[in-house]
Amino acid sequence: MGKQPVIIVLLSCCLLAVAAAAAAAAAAPSSAAGHDEEADEGMSTYIVHVMPAHAPLRGARVRLARTHYSSFVRELLPPHIARPAPRLLYSYAHAMTGFAARLTAQQAAHLAAQPSIAAVVRGTVYKLHTTLSSTFLHLSPSSGLQAESNGATDAVIAVLDTGIYPKDRASFAPLPSLPPTPPPTFRGGCVSGPNFDARVYCNNKLVGAKMFYRGYEFAKGPMNETVESKSPLDTDGHGTHCASIAAGSPVPDANLLGFATGVAKGTAPAARIAVRMLHR
């Protein structure tokens, strides 16, 4: 029962601003170097779900997976639609098997018709959206799923959003009541990047932090790194806000400019947090 309210909170808390090619929590990046804008004209980002029997062996290294899928696509595409050459962005091996790539509409349609392909989904950019989660979901701290979850101590909530800003944020500070390591079934981790030192910011509360932005850059062009960060660091605020709504630790004496003082906490305050920054 402990994990059920956590799943619900995620669905209501955040909708993403992201090219969908960046959208898997278990994604493994492949090289996107050498991007040629002229050759990329007329292409869009797609997530290609490959039937498990045609995917690399689970646990294969990222480079081997990239080589496998590159050959896989070349073999499936007939010569008359093989150009421009598809560009792999990410490969996936955990929540699903497959890859994200830049493809023409004709290439995507051809792949979708193959028996070795489960689905081909075109990337979509969504606008940020936030709701009053607990009220919207009719969750009560005194009865029902939220009360029965005991704070969701055995759960890790994956927040797919604009990242997280944990510096000097009590909502994401280490919790003495939690074990020092995440649940043994958790397979994620923290990755450092510009202005984000995983050794400093990650702890037994924030147990995962990664970033995915290549799909966005192919769709919208290079990020402006003078105002944004190619790291899990949240420069927007939306991801930090949603993460605290979902699983922020209790913060006493919280207030707004001295008003409405009280305890601020997330819907599942004892759950761990794993953030995936998907570029806005």
Side-chain angles (χ1 to χ4, degrees):
M1 292 296 292
K3 296 184 180 180
Q4 288 176 312
V6 173
I7 297 171
I8 297 172
V9 168
L10 275 179
L11 293 176
S12 68
C13 182
C14 306
L15 290 178
L16 316 177
V18 59
S30 62
S31 174
H35 172 49
D36 185 336
E37 292 185 3
E38 185 175 347
D40 196 58
E41 187 176 353
M43 305 179 86
S44 299
T45 299
Y46 292 85
I47 294 180
V48 181
H49 297 252
V50 177
M51 299 296 287
H54 298 272
L57 292 176
R58 189 164 185 172
R61 293 182 179 273
V62 172
R63 183 171 296 180
L64 292 177
R66 177 172 175 258
T67 300
H68 173 91
Y69 284 126
S70 295
S71 300
F72 177 75
V73 172
R74 283 197 300 269
E75 291 173 2
L76 288 179
L77 294 179
H80 68 282
I81 62 170
R83 306 296 297 179
R87 298 171 178 271
L88 264 69
L89 304 181
Y90 296 96
S91 62
Y92 308 99
H94 299 287
M96 57 163 280
T97 51
F99 57 92
R102 299 288 289 174
L103 303 167
T104 65
Q106 194 173 15
Q107 290 169 344
H110 183 83
L111 290 178
Q114 305 307 307
S116 56
I117 302 296
V120 177
V121 182
R122 185 176 179 177
T124 304
V125 176
Y126 295 96
K127 292 184 178 180
L128 296 175
H129 178 67
T130 304
T131 66
L132 299 173
S133 300
S134 297
T135 302
F136 176 78
L137 294 168
H138 303 288
L139 293 175
S140 168
S142 59
S143 63
L145 291 175
Q146 189 173 7
E148 294 173 11
S149 73
N150 190 32
T153 55
D154 59 346
V156 177
I157 299 182
V159 181
L160 312 180
D161 209 288
T162 60
I164 192 165
Y165 193 94
K167 183 179 180 181
D168 300 326
R169 297 292 191 272
S171 295
F172 312 118
L175 273 182
S177 60
L178 291 177
T181 57
T185 53
F186 179 63
R187 295 291 183 267
C190 290
V191 174
S192 294
N195 303 313
F196 190 94
D197 188 341
R199 297 169 299 178
V200 174
Y201 294 135
C202 291
N203 49 51
N204 69 343
K205 179 67 176 181
L206 179 60
V207 297
K210 295 185 178 181
M211 60 285 189
F212 302 96
Y213 53 82
R214 288 178 181 151
Y216 178 90
E217 287 200 317
F218 271 102
K220 299 293 185 180
M223 289 172 55
N224 181 358
E225 294 188 65
T226 63
V227 295
E228 298 176 298
S229 176
K230 287 185 176 181
S231 81
L233 188 71
D234 185 9
T235 58
D236 178 275
H238 191 272
T240 303
H241 175 60
C242 285
S244 65
I245 290 175
S249 300
V251 179
D253 299 321
N255 65 81
L256 177 63
L257 302 177
F259 295 96
T261 299
V263 177
K265 63 179 180 179
T267 303
R272 324 298 180 90
I273 297 172
V275 170
R276 299 294 184 266
M277 190 283 277
L278 304 172
H279 190 269
R280 44 229 166 254

